[in-house]
Amino acid sequence: MPKMKTKSSAKKRLNVLGGGGVKRSKAFKRHILTKKTTKNKRQLRGTTMVDATNMASVRAMLPYA
């Protein structure tokens, strides 16, 4: 069988951790920030984990991770 290709977009956006979880950054923090509250922008900082409901599609995008 030929090798499976890794999705380049997923490779750039996601990090696979040692325990099998996948780390991602939060959305809605790039532009149009003036209308968003300071509290909202503060809570969008940092990273979070990919939810279990999305893990199947993430695993398909990152077959060797």
Side-chain angles (χ1 to χ4, degrees):
M1 269 185 86
K3 292 180 182 176
M4 294 174 67
K5 286 197 172 180
T6 299
K7 287 280 185 186
S8 292
S9 57
K11 177 171 60 176
K12 294 168 188 171
R13 289 171 170 84
L14 303 169
N15 292 322
V16 180
L17 305 178
V22 180
K23 190 168 71 167
R24 67 169 178 88
S25 32
K26 294 181 186 168
F28 307 108
K29 194 72 194 331
R30 292 294 178 188
H31 63 130
I32 317 176
L33 297 173
T34 51
K35 65 174 76 170
K36 295 172 186 161
T37 63
T38 307
K39 178 181 179 181
N40 188 13
K41 290 184 281 192
R42 182 174 62 245
Q43 290 177 342
L44 288 173
R45 276 186 208 148
T47 58
T48 185
M49 302 298 288
V50 171
D51 194 68
T53 55
N54 299 317
M55 282 301 288
S57 57
V58 169
R59 289 285 175 214
M61 289 189 279
L62 300 169
Y64 299 109

